[in-house]
């Protein structure tokens, strides 16, 4: 949805909104984990901002950034009920929609590594990893909003109170609960991106080659694997925990798929070096891994195969810009509709989903 040029507010209001759009996108995406829902929220935020800007007697907004963030966050919270209802009927584990983030500079030299790591630090300030997004799914909507605004974007408790309409003391309590909850499930540490890239490449080589010994050496004993097919692609019906079970699932994938039909590319997903698998020109899967604090072993594997969540993943030359989200696409630069989808594989008989606990299979 977008407004006609005659109904658009003046250029100043338009520039203000566009100037804050990346921030708004990052905040809302970290709250919802869905690009399509984020774009809907940004569209609603724009419409509210446009209506406010058209009011002839409206007082000037002294802090437009705070005003826009407040609208966007509250619009996101208002969508949580409908999102939760969708999740209740979702087939198998739900993972956030993979988000391609900007590729850091080359790491071919120590200087390149240092520069790229500096770029990563700046990028990760607004790019929450897939692992952390999964943990944040266990927070209440208000806890998640406070955690994202305070821990990720550095908002003070008083500012968050103004955004959410809560007292600073209530915000501090929410922040304390959220921080303890997240810390208990995922200690805060920063994996080395260069090492994560190497481990990802070694993992892919071992999985594709069916090298069980190499896989066992890479995986932590308590590793957990989440596979999100959404009922539309082959996936485990619940998270798979334990090195032996994960290796069995991985070797099952390798045995039933022909590696020569796939093109594996390495991209940064949610700020982390990751693997993107293409079948022809169509995205087939995104694989993100989480390492332990030492970077020695893989503790989490996140595999997204649901084609609905891969429509924005592109090969070079297919419109990939390395940006964090699709470009604004209306003449006024304000339409927030979805990016053009790639043509997916032709329809075929639904693949079978499997339960690694008991070997039972159910049609997807």
């Amino acid at each position: 949805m977008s407004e006609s040029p005659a109904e658009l507010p003046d250029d100043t209001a338009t520039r203000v909104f566009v100037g804050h759009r990346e921030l708004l996108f990052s905040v809302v995406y970290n709250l919802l984990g869905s690009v399509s829902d984020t774009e809907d929220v940004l569209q609603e935020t724009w419409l509210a901002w446009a209506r406010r800007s058209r009011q002839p007697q409206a007082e000037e907004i002294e802090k437009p950034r705070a005003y826009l963030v407040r609208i966007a966050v509250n619009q996101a919270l208002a969508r949580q009920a409908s999102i939760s209802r969708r999740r209740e009927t979702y087939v198998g584990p739900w993972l956030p929609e993979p988000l391609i983030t900007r590729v850091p500079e080359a790491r071919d030299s120590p200087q390149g590594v240092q520069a790229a790591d500096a770029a990563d630090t700046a990028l990760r300030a607004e790019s929450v990893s897939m692992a952390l997004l999964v943990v944040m799914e266990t927070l209440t909507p208000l806890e998640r909003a406070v955690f994202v605004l305070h821990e990720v974007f550095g908002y003070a408790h008083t500012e968050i109170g103004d955004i959410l309409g809560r007292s600073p003391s209530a915000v501090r309590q929410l922040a304390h609960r959220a921080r303890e909850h997240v810390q208990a499930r995922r200690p805060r540490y920063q994996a080395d991106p260069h090492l994560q890239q190497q481990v990802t490449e070694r993992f892919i080589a071992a999985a594709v080659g069916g090298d069980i010994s190499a896989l066992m050496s890479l995986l932590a004993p308590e590793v957990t694997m989440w596979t999100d097919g959404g009922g539309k692609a082959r996936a485990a019906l619940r998270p798979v925990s334990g090195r032996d079970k994960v290796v069995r699932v991985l070797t099952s994938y390798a045995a039933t798929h022909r590696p020569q039909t796939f093109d594996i590319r390495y991209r940064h997903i949610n700020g982390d070096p990751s693997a993107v698998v293409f079948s022809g020109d169509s995205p087939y899967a995104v694989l993100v891994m989480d390492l332990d604090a030492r970077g020695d072993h893989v503790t989490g594997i996140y595999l997204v195969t649901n084609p609905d969540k891969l429509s924005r993943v592109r090969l070079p030359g297919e419109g990939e810009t390395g940006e964090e989200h699709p470009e604004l696409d209306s003449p006024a630069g304000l339409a927030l509709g979805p990016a053009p989808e790639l043509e997916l594989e032709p329809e075929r008989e639904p693949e079978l989903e499997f339960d690694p606990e008991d070997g039972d299979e159910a049609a997807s």
Side-chain angles (χ1 to χ4, degrees), residues 2-330:
S2 63
E3 302 201 342
S4 68
E7 297 173 329
L8 291 173
D10 60 50
D11 289 344
T12 300
T14 302
R15 285 197 300 270
V16 168
F17 181 85
V18 173
H20 290 95
R21 187 183 186 276
E22 284 203 28
L23 169 66
L24 300 175
F25 184 97
S26 297
V27 170
V28 175
Y29 171 80
N30 287 330
L31 293 179
L32 303 180
S34 163
V35 174
S36 58
D37 285 310
T38 296
E39 290 173 341
D40 288 344
V41 167
L42 262 63
Q43 183 66 29
E44 293 163 358
T45 303
W46 157 248
L47 292 175
W49 174 253
R51 285 192 297 269
R52 175 66 170 74
S53 302
R54 281 199 304 268
Q55 296 174 6
Q57 305 302 323
E59 295 181 5
E60 182 180 355
I61 298 173
E62 294 183 2
K63 299 179 179 179
R65 178 177 183 267
Y67 183 88
L68 287 166
V69 169
R70 183 170 69 250
I71 295 174
V73 168
N74 283 283
Q75 290 281 5
L77 290 173
R79 295 181 70 87
Q80 286 287 358
S82 62
I83 291 173
S84 296
R85 286 194 294 270
R86 293 205 310 263
R87 303 269 175 86
E88 290 174 358
T89 59
Y90 197 82
V91 178
W94 183 94
L95 289 175
E97 185 174 346
L99 189 65
I100 293 184
T101 45
R102 286 185 290 271
V103 180
E105 300 174 26
R107 303 177 183 270
D108 297 334
S109 66
Q111 294 80 6
V113 171
Q114 184 176 7
D117 288 344
D120 280 347
T121 300
L123 174 62
R124 286 163 184 261
E126 296 183 3
S127 293
V128 173
S129 69
M130 180 75 72
L132 186 52
L133 284 172
V134 169
V135 171
M136 289 196 301
E137 284 293 316
T138 62
L139 301 175
T140 68
L142 275 178
E143 287 173 347
R144 182 167 181 169
V146 170
F147 184 86
V148 167
L149 291 170
H150 183 63
E151 300 291 334
V152 180
F153 293 92
Y155 279 80
H157 292 145
T158 53
E159 294 177 295
I160 299 173
D162 291 339
I163 291 171
L164 298 178
R166 298 289 192 279
S167 68
S169 60
V171 169
R172 279 192 289 271
Q173 291 178 352
L174 288 165
H176 178 71
R177 289 202 303 266
R179 189 164 50 248
E180 282 196 334
H181 189 95
V182 170
Q183 184 70 19
R185 287 158 179 76
R186 190 177 192 278
R188 303 298 293 274
Y189 58 82
Q190 184 64 66
D192 175 72
H194 188 52
L195 179 59
Q196 195 167 5
Q197 175 81 25
Q198 292 179 328
V199 172
T200 300
E201 293 177 3
R202 288 165 53 199
F203 177 89
I204 291 294
V208 170
D211 190 337
I212 295 178
S213 176
L215 285 173
M216 294 290 284
S217 69
L218 285 171
L219 301 178
E222 70 281 5
V223 63
T224 299
M225 180 175 179
W226 290 262
T227 55
D228 180 347
K232 300 181 179 182
R234 181 180 174 86
L237 294 174
R238 54 178 176 261
V240 183
S241 296
R243 182 163 51 195
D244 292 340
K245 291 180 181 177
V246 169
V247 168
R248 188 162 70 245
V249 171
L250 290 171
T251 53
S252 172
Y253 272 113
T256 56
H257 294 80
R258 299 185 301 277
Q260 63 270 23
T261 66
F262 293 138
D263 181 14
I264 299 172
R265 304 295 182 96
Y266 295 95
R267 297 288 182 269
H268 278 66
I269 302 294
N270 297 82
D272 286 330
S274 308
V276 182
V277 182
F278 290 88
S279 177
D281 291 337
S282 300
Y284 183 84
V286 166
L287 179 73
V288 183
M289 293 192 299
D290 194 28
L291 306 184
D292 60 17
R294 295 178 56 186
D296 295 334
H297 294 96
V298 176
T299 57
I301 302 170
Y302 307 92
L303 181 65
V304 180
T305 57
N306 183 346
D308 293 342
K309 294 186 177 182
L310 301 177
S311 61
R312 293 169 177 81
V313 178
R314 301 174 177 87
L315 281 167
E318 294 283 348
E320 180 182 321
T321 65
E323 295 186 357
E324 295 183 3
H325 53 78
E327 288 288 348
L328 302 170
D329 56 9
S330 76

